């Protein structure tokens, strides 16, 4: 089953730049589609329940929402987004209430973003068995109160460590040895942790090849809420002032603080989840995953009458599926060529010689060191 999904996702990723099109009269892109609409019957059959943070976070929420909007618009379906109450302090009850509102508002498919949704989603899926739920960023089947997988829930997760590796490897090869990583979620967000862990591994391998040493500041400070803040911007500005050349901004709207600090200090940054090159000219590259494509793919499984292929299951997508990587065309590379990049990706695929580890617990606990990267955890 994963092979079928992987093939479809690879096809979607191949056309993702076209799907995000311009406003010049061609195929509609996500930016051409309004975030709100009014349905004639007051019902909205495709719904999106956001993760914490803003809808237009230029990252995780927005990337997933773009896929929902694009699919709904292209298939003339009514759509609506719902944000749990209490913002960054949303509880499971807040998330459940947003899903309940979506289901009672006519949603046939509810796309939910973020691993924090699981408890609320399981409750909502049992209470509304006729609604179908797409769970983005979850790596296992969601089970009901009887311990069995809920057939009306389909889960998708990505191997972010692979995208993080590619970013870390590339920037060191480009000559940068004073790096930073600022992650969201306070060290509890699996996706951010995998991005960061892969980033260190990639930087280490590139530094080893070049025979250089890399210094890396690594922090969750002020990033727990995924939001931009003056405190976060000040911290990152301090890093740049002390010699850091480039910071990987990993966690929703907090990227705005990193981009601003980079711009003020004539420095560079790395974006996350989606291609963020259009958000700041400081972005050298972005570690991306196919959020929009995965959301659209799963909606298609429902509307094509093929939900039984994904319901009650979970898929974990990576380079084998062309689901994670770097947006090479928009990256500011001078050393990394497309051939170098493709060779690296091929080596990372199943059967290749390059293994990127995803289990990060020992690393975050300070129990793993790297020969060519000195990681300084900032707390």
């Amino acid at each position: 089953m994963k092979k079928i999904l992987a093939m479809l996702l690879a096809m979607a990723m191949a056309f993702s730049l076209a799907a995000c099109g311009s406003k010049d009269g061609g195929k509609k892109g996500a930016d051409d589609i309004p975030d709100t609409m009014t349905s004639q019957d007051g019902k909205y059959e495709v719904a999106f329940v956001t993760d914490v943070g803003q809808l237009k976070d230029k990252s995780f929420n927005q990337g997933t929402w773009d896929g929902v909007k694009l699919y709904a618009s292209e298939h003339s379906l009514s759509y609506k987004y719902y944000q749990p109450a209490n913002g960054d302090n949303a509880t499971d009850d807040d998330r459940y209430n947003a899903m309940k509102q979506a289901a009672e508002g006519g949603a046939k498919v509810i796309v939910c973003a973020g691993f924090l949704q699981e408890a609320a989603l399981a409750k909502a899926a049992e209470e509304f068995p006729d609604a179908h739920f797409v769970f983005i960023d979850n790596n296992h089947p969601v089970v009901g109160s009887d311990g069995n997988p809920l057939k009306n829930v389909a889960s998708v997760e990505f191997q972010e460590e692979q995208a993080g590796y590619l970013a870390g490897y590339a920037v060191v090869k480009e000559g940068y040895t004073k790096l930073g990583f600022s992650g969201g979620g306070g060290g509890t967000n699996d996706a951010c942790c995998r991005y960061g862990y892969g980033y260190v591994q990639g930087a280490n391998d590139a530094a080893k090849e070049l025979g250089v040493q890399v210094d890396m500041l690594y922090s969750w400070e002020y990033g727990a809420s995924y939001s931009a803040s003056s405190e976060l911007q000040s911290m990152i500005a301090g890093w740049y002032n002390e010699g850091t050349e480039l910071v990987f901004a990993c966690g929703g709207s907090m990227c705005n603080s990193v981009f601003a600090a980079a711009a003020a200090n004539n420095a560079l940054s790395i974006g996350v989840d989606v291609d963020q090159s259009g958000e700041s000219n400081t972005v050298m590259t972005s570690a991306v995953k196919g959020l929009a494509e995965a959301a659209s793919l799963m909606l298609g499984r429902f509307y094509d009458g093929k939900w039984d292929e994904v319901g009650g299951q979970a898929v974990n997508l990576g380079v084998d599926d062309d689901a994670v990587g770097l947006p090479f065309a928009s990256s500011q590379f001078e050393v990394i060529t497309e051939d170098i990049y493709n060779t690296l990706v091929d080596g990372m695929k199943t059967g290749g010689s390059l293994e990127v580890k995803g289990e990060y617990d020992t690393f975050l606990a300070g129990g793993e060191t790297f020969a060519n990267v000195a990681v300084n955890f900032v707390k």
Side-chain angles (χ1 to χ4, degrees):
M1 184 53 57
K2 179 182 174 181
K3 290 183 178 179
I4 296 174
L5 292 174
M7 179 180 67
L8 292 170
L9 184 59
M11 292 171 62
M13 287 287 284
F15 292 101
S16 63
L17 292 179
C20 292
S22 62
K23 302 176 181 179
D24 59 3
K27 184 177 181 179
K28 277 188 177 181
D31 289 341
D32 300 306
I33 302 168
D35 291 322
T36 59
M37 66 166 296
T38 301
S39 69
Q40 292 183 347
D41 61 1
K43 301 291 185 180
Y44 298 88
E45 65 173 281
V46 178
F48 174 54
V49 177
T50 72
D51 195 6
V52 293
Q54 302 171 5
L55 173 72
K56 309 294 280 190
D57 61 1
K58 304 173 185 176
S59 185
F60 184 70
N61 278 331
Q62 187 169 341
T64 309
W65 177 230
D66 284 351
V68 174
K69 284 197 304 180
L70 282 165
Y71 187 91
S73 177
E74 290 169 2
H75 294 83
S76 300
L77 302 170
S78 57
Y79 59 89
K80 185 175 181 177
Y81 72 88
Y82 300 80
Q83 293 186 280
N86 295 313
D88 295 337
N89 297 313
T91 64
D92 287 339
D93 285 342
D94 294 328
R95 298 182 182 94
Y96 163 76
N97 287 334
M99 297 173 199
K100 181 175 184 288
Q101 186 180 0
E104 292 179 343
K108 295 179 180 178
V109 189
I110 303 171
V111 179
C112 303
F115 75 101
L116 293 172
Q117 306 271 23
E118 183 168 6
L121 196 156
K123 179 180 178 180
E126 280 199 299
E127 183 170 338
F128 299 97
D130 293 333
H132 296 71
F133 294 79
V134 176
F135 193 1
I136 302 294
D137 254 17
N138 179 60
N139 68 353
H140 54 271
V142 175
V143 300
S145 55
D146 61 0
N148 293 316
L150 292 164
K151 298 297 185 181
N152 60 335
V153 181
S155 299
V156 181
E157 190 178 51
F158 300 88
Q159 296 171 49
E160 291 91 356
E161 67 274 10
Q162 295 176 337
Y165 181 100
L166 292 166
Y169 182 94
V171 298
V172 172
K173 280 290 193 176
E174 290 291 321
Y176 298 94
T177 59
K178 305 294 183 182
L179 307 181
F181 176 84
S182 181
T188 63
N189 182 300
D190 289 341
C192 289
C193 290
R194 287 192 294 268
Y195 272 128
Y197 186 35
Y199 180 55
V200 177
Q201 293 175 68
N204 185 68
D205 284 356
K208 183 177 180 179
E209 292 177 9
L210 294 173
V212 300
Q213 289 295 126
V214 170
D215 293 316
M216 183 180 297
L217 295 172
Y218 198 108
S219 182
W220 305 104
E221 190 77 8
Y222 306 120
S225 69
Y226 309 94
S227 298
S229 68
S230 58
E231 293 85 0
L232 175 60
Q233 186 171 332
S234 294
M235 184 184 76
I236 301 301
W239 289 7
Y240 286 131
N241 287 331
E242 293 169 4
T244 297
E245 301 165 304
L246 185 149
V247 175
F248 183 4
C250 186
S253 298
M254 60 181 287
C255 67
N256 293 321
S257 293
V258 177
F259 296 164
N265 288 275
N266 195 30
L268 294 169
S269 62
I270 297 173
V272 75
D273 287 340
V274 298
D275 182 358
Q276 294 186 318
S277 60
E279 304 304 326
S280 170
N281 59 14
T282 71
V283 175
M284 169 166 277
T285 190
S286 300
V288 304
K289 56 187 182 183
L291 292 165
E293 294 78 18
S296 181
L297 171 68
M298 290 301 185
L299 287 169
R301 294 295 86 186
F302 173 76
Y303 283 102
D304 292 342
K306 298 178 180 179
W307 183 263
D308 59 343
E309 296 180 357
V310 296
Q313 302 179 54
V315 293
N316 190 4
L317 305 173
V319 293
D320 280 347
D321 317 301
D322 295 325
V324 299
L326 307 180
F328 188 85
S330 62
S331 296
Q332 300 181 48
F333 295 148
E334 295 181 1
V335 175
I336 298 292
T337 65
E338 194 163 4
D339 285 343
I340 291 173
Y341 174 75
N342 289 334
T343 298
L344 191 63
V345 170
D346 288 342
M348 199 181 292
K349 291 182 177 180
T350 300
S353 59
L354 176 57
E355 178 185 3
V356 182
K357 296 180 290 184
E359 295 296 327
Y360 55 81
D361 289 342
T362 300
F363 164 66
L364 285 188
E368 182 176 3
T369 58
F370 296 84
N372 291 80
V373 178
V375 179
N376 180 15
F377 289 98
V378 179
K379 298 181 180 179

